[in-house]
Amino acid sequence: MESNTSFITPQPSEPGVETHPWQPFIPDNARVLFLGSFPPPPSRWSMPFYYPNRNNDFWRVMGIVFYDNPDRFYDSAAKSFRLDDITAFATERGIALCDTGRRIRRLRGNASAAFHEIVEAIDLQSLIPLMPHLRAVASTGTLAAKVIASLTGTEAPKMGEWTMWSPVPDRNIAIWRMPSTSRAYPMKIEKKAAY
């Protein structure tokens, strides 16, 4: 698995600004890159990996889509996601994970992307060469979709739709917009999985 180590280069301390805690997760066979906004505060993590909040439905949606089981990646006894199962699954399926915010400021101190100020976005252009098989980028939520649009010079598509991006000549990547997997987003999990 390759990663962009510059993604986590320490930055000068800036009051109220958080730097992303993880490197991008990029399997060698990555075909799809999911981009959220930024992890919740560490107190909300059930694991040290993307979509760590047990109240976020991302891994339940993946369980529904691939296994018809929303709890496929969840250990109810431990009240945590099973990180080993998740990374094995993502590696096998060619699913890369990252967030659009490299450094953010929480305007309300919570996990809601609606109240994140992106201080520094990821360098999406530097990630693309690490994924020669990449065919699609999928945003999970409004803020992620807006940041991706600004980074790619495209329009943010409507939910469930896509737009084409050519980061380099002769390479086209579909940019999809998915619904937020936050439970705060008012949509049933089955409908999120349908998207």
Side-chain angles (χ1 to χ4, degrees), residues 69-91:
N69 178 359
D71 293 322
R72 169 64 178 82
F73 300 110
Y74 189 70
D75 181 340
S76 58
K79 295 184 179 180
S80 178
F81 291 106
R82 290 190 294 273
L83 181 55
D84 289 346
D85 286 352
I86 285 170
T87 55
F89 159 78
T91 299

Side-chain angles (χ1 to χ4, degrees), residues 53-124:
N53 188 338
R54 66 177 179 261
N55 291 326
N56 186 293
D57 284 328
F58 183 84
W59 296 113
R60 288 179 182 87
V61 167
M62 293 293 110
I64 291 169
V65 170
F66 289 93
Y67 301 100
D68 198 27
N69 178 359
D71 293 322
R72 169 64 178 82
F73 300 110
Y74 189 70
D75 181 340
S76 58
K79 295 184 179 180
S80 178
F81 291 106
R82 290 190 294 273
L83 181 55
D84 289 346
D85 286 352
I86 285 170
T87 55
F89 159 78
T91 299
E92 176 188 330
R93 297 289 181 158
I95 296 172
L97 299 147
C98 192
D99 283 318
T100 55
R102 183 174 182 273
R103 298 172 65 229
I104 64 126
R105 184 177 287 115
R106 294 182 201 277
L107 303 179
R108 294 220 179 145
N110 62 23
S112 175
F115 302 108
H116 287 174
E117 173 192 352
I118 302 290
V119 175
E120 181 183 348
I122 60 162
D123 182 354
L124 186 57

Side-chain angles (χ1 to χ4, degrees), residues 142-192:
T142 301
L143 178 60
K146 288 178 181 177
V147 174
I148 294 167
S150 73
L151 294 174
T152 60
T154 61
E155 293 289 323
K158 293 180 182 177
M159 197 173 351
E161 296 183 3
W162 59 277
T163 189
M164 195 59 72
W165 173 48
S166 298
V168 293
D170 300 322
R171 183 148 185 219
N172 295 321
I173 296 174
I175 299 175
W176 288 87
R177 182 171 175 185
M178 300 292 109
S180 169
T181 54
S182 167
R183 294 239 178 119
Y185 186 72
M187 180 184 284
K188 291 188 178 200
I189 189 172
E190 295 81 9
K191 191 166 183 183
K192 290 179 184 184

